[in-house]
Amino acid sequence: MTSTSAGRGAVALAAARISEALRAGRPVAPVRDLLGDRDIAAAYAVQQELTRRRLAAGATVVGRKIGLTSPAVQRQLGVDRPDFGVLFDDMDVSALAEVPSGRLLQPKAEAEIAFVLKDDLVDGDLDEAGVRASVAYAVAAIEIVDSRVADWDITITDTVADNASSGLFVLGPRRLTLDEFEPREVTMRLYAGDDLVSEGDGAACLGDPLTALAWLARTAREFGEPLRAGQVVLSGALGPMVPAPPGTRIRAEIGPLGEVAATFSKEERP
């Protein structure tokens, strides 16, 4: 992990601001006034502090998400790399009849390939061949991204500090091994109700979702928290994200992985 120019006080204040959004159920101002808009190390320090608090409260880490895999979004935020966030057990809402909209502030949805690992990714080069061999299977997924920052007014430091704008996720039922399909060759269509609202393909995710997975494996190891067997990795959006307000039904078709759907409850935050 690279060193940060922001002090511990700034990191603590940024963590407190994001925590207040979670506690009160209202978005807050960006944290870049505390961290600057380029100090990615400081932003990850905030993310790690918020992760520590979640773990202390009883949450369990079940995987990671990769964000900023689109070159267009990277250019928008002025960065040349992806970012990552932590997936906790209560973020997996695959088994629920409806996505609990009341847990979300400003939700958007995007379609992705999720990889489930069969091996720890700790040793070796962690190149694409190595991570491919460590994937048990893949499924279609809908990631429900959310921002604790008002109006999604984010720079790279805002989103990284805010757990890479993580929210919830839904995993599809069909499991395929990497002998059965190539992630970079899939096509994706995302529907809101009956309307086609987003399209893309595997190449939209850093050229290949396995490239994104290899980047994450190396980066997570550098941060001292390597990927582990059994964890889920949301590898990055295959097309533009779309709003997902209460009452919306989102459905994605991702090549041979089939369909995954999420109906957002009409319940809103009080």
Side-chain angles (χ1 to χ4, degrees), residues 1-266:
M1 180 176 176
T2 57
S3 62
T4 169
S5 59
R8 291 182 181 178
V11 169
L13 288 171
R17 186 178 296 176
I18 294 171
S19 293
E20 174 61 17
L22 294 168
R23 185 198 67 78
R26 292 189 299 272
V28 293
V31 295
R32 57 184 177 269
D33 63 317
L34 300 168
L35 306 178
D37 60 3
R38 289 292 181 269
D39 195 341
I40 297 175
Y44 276 117
V46 175
Q47 183 186 126
Q48 289 176 322
E49 170 58 20
L50 293 172
T51 296
R52 183 194 66 76
R53 296 181 188 183
R54 288 290 307 272
L55 295 176
T60 300
V61 173
V62 297
R64 307 284 172 80
K65 65 149 287 182
I66 309 171
L68 304 183
T69 53
S70 162
V73 176
Q74 288 182 8
R75 287 193 297 270
Q76 179 184 3
L77 295 184
V79 296
D80 60 358
R81 72 184 98 177
D83 69 351
F84 71 86
V86 179
L87 300 180
F88 298 99
D89 51 345
D90 65 349
M91 294 168 63
D92 183 355
V93 294
S94 306
L96 301 184
E98 293 184 325
V99 174
S101 297
R103 289 178 55 185
L104 301 163
L105 298 180
Q106 306 174 97
K108 299 184 180 186
E110 52 192 31
E112 308 189 8
I113 295 173
F115 297 112
V116 178
L117 303 177
K118 62 183 177 182
D119 300 312
D120 294 346
L121 289 172
V122 177
D123 301 318
D125 294 336
L126 300 182
D127 56 11
E128 288 180 38
V131 300
R132 171 186 280 272
S134 297
V135 172
Y137 59 88
V139 299
I142 293 174
E143 184 187 358
I144 301 149
V145 293
D146 198 14
S147 181
R148 272 55 63 176
V149 175
D151 300 319
W152 281 88
D153 178 17
I154 57 174
T155 64
I156 181 64
T157 50
D158 298 305
T159 186
V160 168
D162 187 25
N163 199 23
S165 303
S166 298
L168 306 172
F169 65 94
V170 178
L171 302 180
R174 187 174 190 190
R175 300 178 176 183
L176 293 182
T177 70
L178 296 185
D179 291 332
E180 296 176 292
F181 84 112
E182 281 294 334
R184 68 177 179 273
E185 295 176 358
V186 304
T187 57
M188 180 280 294
R189 292 181 176 83
L190 186 69
Y191 296 85
D194 295 326
D195 297 327
L196 178 64
V197 291
S198 180
E199 293 183 271
D201 54 36
C205 180
L206 287 186
D208 187 333
L210 288 172
T211 301
L213 178 59
W215 172 86
L216 176 63
R218 294 189 297 269
T219 304
R221 182 174 64 181
E222 290 171 6
F223 275 78
E225 296 291 342
L227 299 178
R228 298 293 184 182
Q231 289 188 337
V232 177
V233 175
L234 300 178
S235 60
L238 303 179
M241 61 184 179
V242 300
T248 305
R249 177 173 170 77
I250 297 290
R251 177 174 59 88
E253 300 171 350
I254 303 181
L257 293 170
E259 290 191 4
V260 57
T263 300
F264 290 74
S265 70
K266 294 182 180 180

